[in-house]
Amino acid sequence: MGFDLRRPFWGRSPSDELSRMSQRCGALIEEIDTPVDLESLLARVSTKCQRPIIPIGTVMPPEGPTGLLMRTPDEIVIFFSTNTSKLHQNHTVLHEIGHLIFEHRGITDLDLVRSRLMFPDIDPSVVISMLQRTAYSDEQEAEAELFASVMGMALHEWRPTQAEWIVPDNIAPVVERIQKVLGSPY
């Protein structure tokens, strides 16, 4: 791949923690065999997770997250902010993929009201456990950021083959409700 993650790539000695994260990140990147583009990476991680990963762009509030990972029994949905640069959108998707491949489990702080707005027909406790987002530990965030940064450098530039990600019909109503809660004008 060209990167030795056991050594710092910015020229300084890393802390023991950063060195450990770098080694773990490097091992996971080697395991998935660096693909040539983000779509190939999504396909490989989908296979590893044994369910499709669906990236969906949406407008997110400036003070909110730029990405959101939703795991369901049938698919994994990565919401990413479209009100930012393409480079940042790609980094956000890579960051959320990092949470997946590191098998991070978030500490959910989604409240009952918002979970009922997104999924009015589902028990809010189920919604909260499905989303598991917004409060990963600092170490988990650092690992996901490191993965996104290194994988982004390895991929160089990503150009989607389609203008937009297609939202599958079976989850379109859910996506619409989530976009409304997040403040999307679409």
Side-chain angles (χ1 to χ4, degrees):
M1 170 170 117
F3 294 107
D4 181 358
L5 295 177
R6 291 174 293 273
R7 294 182 26 226
F9 52 87
W10 57 88
R12 294 183 288 178
S13 295
S15 68
D16 290 342
E17 191 63 25
L18 182 57
S19 178
R20 186 194 64 71
M21 282 191 287
S22 294
Q23 288 174 0
R24 188 169 172 212
C25 184
L28 283 171
I29 288 174
E30 274 184 33
E31 182 182 309
I32 58 176
D33 189 27
T34 308
V36 294
D37 58 32
L38 185 55
E39 289 173 335
S40 298
L41 176 63
L42 285 166
R44 288 181 189 175
V45 177
S46 290
T47 300
K48 182 180 186 316
C49 294
Q50 300 179 343
R51 53 193 157 160
I53 299 173
I54 304 164
I56 298 174
T58 188
V59 174
M60 294 192 174
E63 67 281 354
T66 58
L68 181 79
L69 181 63
M70 183 178 79
R71 306 167 208 230
T72 72
D74 299 323
E75 65 246 330
I76 298 166
V77 182
I78 297 175
F79 291 94
F80 62 92
S81 178
T82 55
N83 48 322
T84 187
S85 71
K86 193 65 163 171
L87 180 65
H88 192 216
Q89 291 172 24
N90 296 341
H91 183 84
T92 300
V93 172
L94 289 169
H95 177 98
E96 299 302 334
I97 292 171
H99 284 305
L100 282 173
I101 68 165
F102 281 115
E103 299 178 355
H104 293 160
R105 295 288 178 228
I107 305 161
T108 305
D109 71 348
L110 181 66
D111 63 33
L112 295 175
V113 173
R114 286 188 292 178
S115 66
R116 280 193 182 108
L117 286 171
M118 283 192 245
F119 302 93
D121 301 329
I122 301 174
D123 178 351
S125 64
V126 172
V127 172
I128 289 169
S129 69
M130 278 179 13
L131 291 177
Q132 293 185 319
R133 177 59 176 104
T134 59
Y136 288 106
S137 72
D138 289 344
E139 181 180 337
Q140 289 174 333
E141 285 299 325
E143 281 182 330
E145 273 303 299
L146 182 61
F147 173 83
S149 296
V150 173
M151 186 56 81
M153 287 187 284
L155 295 176
H156 297 290
E157 185 177 355
W158 173 63
R159 291 189 180 119
T161 56
Q162 56 195 47
E164 294 181 11
W165 296 98
I166 305 300
V167 177
D169 292 338
N170 65 322
I171 64 168
V174 172
V175 170
E176 185 177 330
R177 286 194 299 271
I178 290 172
Q179 288 177 327
K180 285 180 183 175
V181 170
L182 293 174
S184 174
Y186 302 108

